[in-house]
Amino acid sequence: MLKKIKNFLRPYWNSYIPIIRNVFLGIFLLVVIGGRIYNWVFSEEVAKQYRELSKEIYSIEIFDKRILNVRVGTGNIVIAKEATANIDMGGDIDEAMKSREEIIDYFLRHGWEPVSLHKNDLTFRNKRYEIKLFGPMRPKPLVDNHWLVTIGFNTIFQRLRF
C-alpha cells in the first residue's frame, strides 16, 4: 500500500517542492520585513510596550525590592517584545530550591497557569503575559541566588520567540 502511494506521488513530488519552499520563504520574509518596518515606524508604540512589560515586572509582589536591573530582552528579533530582569531572591545558591517553591506558589496563587516547571527554568502564562524564570541551579562557582526573569506578551510570536 505504501509503495503504491510513493509511486503515485513520485511524479508530483519534484514539481511541488519548489512551490512549497517558495511559499514558506515568502511568508518568512514578509514577517521579517514587516516586523522591522513596524519597529521602525511605530518606535513610540514599541517603547510603550517595553515600559508596560517593565512595569509588570515591578508589580509582581514576590520580586518586590529584589530587582537588580530591568532591560530590553535579548529575544526581541522582530515582533515579540520582552523585558528581562535580574532578581536577587536572597541567600546563597543552596537556597535556590526554597526560592523556586516560593515562586511557584506565588504564581499559582495569583492565577498564572504553569506551562513548564523544569528544574532550573519555570514558565507561567496568564491572559496577557508570559513569564520565564531561569534559576541559578547550576554547578558552583555561583554563590548568589539570582534569577533571570523574562516577561513578554502572551502571543504566538512570543511563544515562537520571533
Side-chain angles (χ1 to χ4, degrees):
M1 178 70 176
L2 186 60
K3 191 170 185 163
K4 287 182 181 180
I5 293 173
K6 281 184 178 180
N7 288 336
F8 176 74
L9 291 177
R10 186 166 298 162
Y12 304 107
W13 184 253
N14 290 335
S15 62
Y16 287 124
I17 291 233
I19 295 169
I20 294 169
R21 181 194 62 218
N22 291 340
V23 166
F24 281 116
L25 184 63
I27 291 170
F28 175 76
L29 289 175
L30 179 70
V31 169
V32 168
I33 292 169
R36 291 293 179 190
I37 291 172
Y38 171 79
N39 289 336
W40 180 62
V41 173
F42 298 104
S43 58
E44 287 182 23
E45 179 67 26
V46 170
K48 181 180 164 190
Q49 291 174 352
Y50 287 130
R51 284 192 302 272
E52 180 181 343
L53 292 170
S54 297
K55 186 177 174 183
E56 182 64 23
I57 286 178
Y58 281 109
S59 72
I60 297 174
E61 295 169 4
I62 196 164
F63 302 146
D64 192 29
K65 298 178 184 170
R66 296 178 177 185
I67 298 174
L68 300 174
N69 61 12
V70 177
R71 62 192 179 282
V72 172
T74 57
N76 301 309
I77 300 170
V78 179
I79 298 172
K81 305 298 177 241
E82 64 185 22
T84 302
N86 288 329
I87 310 292
D88 182 5
M89 292 301 289
D92 60 7
I93 190 72
D94 297 324
E95 296 177 15
M97 287 306 284
K98 181 182 172 211
S99 298
R100 179 183 185 275
E101 296 305 320
E102 290 175 11
I103 290 169
I104 290 172
D105 184 52
Y106 173 83
F107 281 105
L108 291 177
R109 281 187 290 117
H110 287 83
W112 290 74
E113 170 190 342
V115 177
S116 165
L117 299 176
H118 294 294
K119 182 178 179 182
N120 65 345
D121 62 356
L122 310 171
T123 305
F124 294 94
R125 192 179 292 152
N126 67 10
K127 289 182 182 179
R128 182 111 172 104
Y129 303 105
E130 179 175 276
I131 190 164
K132 295 182 182 210
L133 301 104
F134 301 97
M137 293 158 223
R138 297 181 197 99
K140 308 284 188 208
L142 291 176
V143 293
D144 296 324
N145 187 7
H146 288 187
W147 289 70
L148 180 68
V149 177
T150 302
I151 188 168
F153 295 102
N154 186 7
T155 63
I156 188 70
F157 300 112
Q158 181 67 29
R159 289 186 207 136
L160 296 175
R161 311 262 313 147
F162 195 70

